[in-house]
């Protein structure tokens, strides 16, 4: 009360307004709450792997794809000598479709009454981000039973044993056949990336 009358006597309109809005009975009910049409939420993870995988549309739950195991071999031969025979070997890979689902309930009234925020657009965006993050996860660690098989859980074609970090990274690059190196991508988790950047020689270079 003292503060209100002091503001009234000194013609301090800001003090009067603050005191009046602060209590409902003193006039605060006349001022609507300020509302920012934005929802505070965590930033979504950045999806990386979808840009590196091949996306094959499927109309059925299984799809067979022919793969080449060995290509044609060539030989040097003398004139009029018997030529060595060669062949190409093929196998078949089977792709299996898995289903990912999510559902959220919302009343018609809630959607209609959310005039400041486009609730439908927000829900669609949340679904999109959640699906993207789960897709990113299974590309790496999918179990292959109830979800697609991930890179980490797939059979490893070859590997480079670890011992000296810098030397192993160099060996890893050159262990890849030359024809694949130009477009190859190398991935590592954050902990490994930090360790790689901290590798130094005896002169701290």
């Amino acid at each position: 009360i003292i503060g209100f009358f002091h503001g009234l006597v000194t013609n301090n309109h800001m003090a009067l307004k603050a005191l009046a809005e602060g209590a409902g009975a003193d006039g605060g009910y006349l001022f609507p709450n300020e509302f920012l049409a934005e929802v505070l939420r965590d930033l979504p993870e950045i999806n990386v792997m979808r840009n590196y995988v091949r996306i094959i549309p499927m109309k059925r739950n299984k799809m067979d794809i022919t793969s080449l195991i060995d290509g044609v071999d060539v030989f040097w031969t003398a004139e009029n000598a018997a030529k060595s025979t060669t062949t190409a070997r093929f196998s078949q890979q089977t792709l299996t479709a898995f289903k990912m689902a999510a559902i959220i309930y919302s009343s018609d009234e809630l959607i209609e009454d959310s005039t400041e925020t486009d609730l439908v657009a927000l829900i669609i965006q949340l679904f999109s981000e959640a699906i993207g993050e789960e897709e990113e996860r299974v590309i790496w660690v999918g179990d292959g039973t109830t979800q697609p098989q991930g890179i980490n859980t797939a059979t490893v074609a070859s590997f480079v044993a670890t011992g000296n970090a810098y030397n192993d990274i160099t060996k890893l690059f050159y262990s890849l056949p030359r024809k694949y190196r130009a477009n190859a991508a190398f991935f590592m988790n954050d902990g490994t990336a930090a360790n790689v950047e901290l590798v130094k020689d005896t002169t701290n270079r």
Side-chain angles (χ1 to χ4, degrees), residues 69-204:
I69 300 177
D70 289 325
V72 174
D73 293 324
V74 296
F75 305 94
W76 292 96
T77 183
E79 185 177 0
N80 294 327
K83 299 178 179 67
S84 300
T85 59
T86 184
T87 184
R89 294 196 303 129
F90 299 90
S91 70
Q92 191 174 74
Q93 303 291 331
T94 299
L95 300 182
T96 303
F98 294 93
K99 184 176 181 178
M100 181 184 359
I103 188 170
I104 187 171
Y105 290 99
S106 179
S107 67
D108 294 338
E109 291 78 9
L110 176 61
I111 294 175
E112 292 173 358
D113 293 343
S114 299
T115 56
E116 289 84 2
T117 302
D118 189 342
L119 188 60
V120 174
L122 174 62
I123 291 174
I124 292 173
Q125 186 176 1
L126 292 176
F127 269 106
S128 176
E129 292 170 358
I131 291 172
E133 290 181 11
E134 177 62 12
E135 189 178 63
E136 184 91 351
R137 187 190 70 82
V138 298
I139 288 175
W140 279 111
V141 296
D143 57 27
T145 303
T146 59
Q147 54 196 232
Q149 188 174 51
I151 295 172
N152 287 359
T153 53
T155 302
V156 178
S158 62
F159 63 91
V160 174
T162 58
N164 180 296
Y166 181 81
N167 292 347
D168 293 336
I169 293 172
T170 304
K171 291 177 182 178
L172 178 64
F173 177 79
Y174 287 103
S175 67
L176 191 66
R178 188 188 302 270
K179 59 185 177 181
Y180 298 122
R181 293 176 196 165
N183 296 319
F186 292 84
F187 300 94
M188 61 188 76
N189 63 39
D190 291 343
T192 304
N195 289 332
V196 168
E197 292 193 23
L198 291 172
V199 171
K200 301 173 183 176
D201 62 13
T202 54
T203 58
N204 283 330

Side-chain angles (χ1 to χ4, degrees), residues 23-35:
D26 294 333
Y29 294 125
L30 300 176
F31 297 89
N33 288 334
E34 189 173 13
F35 182 80

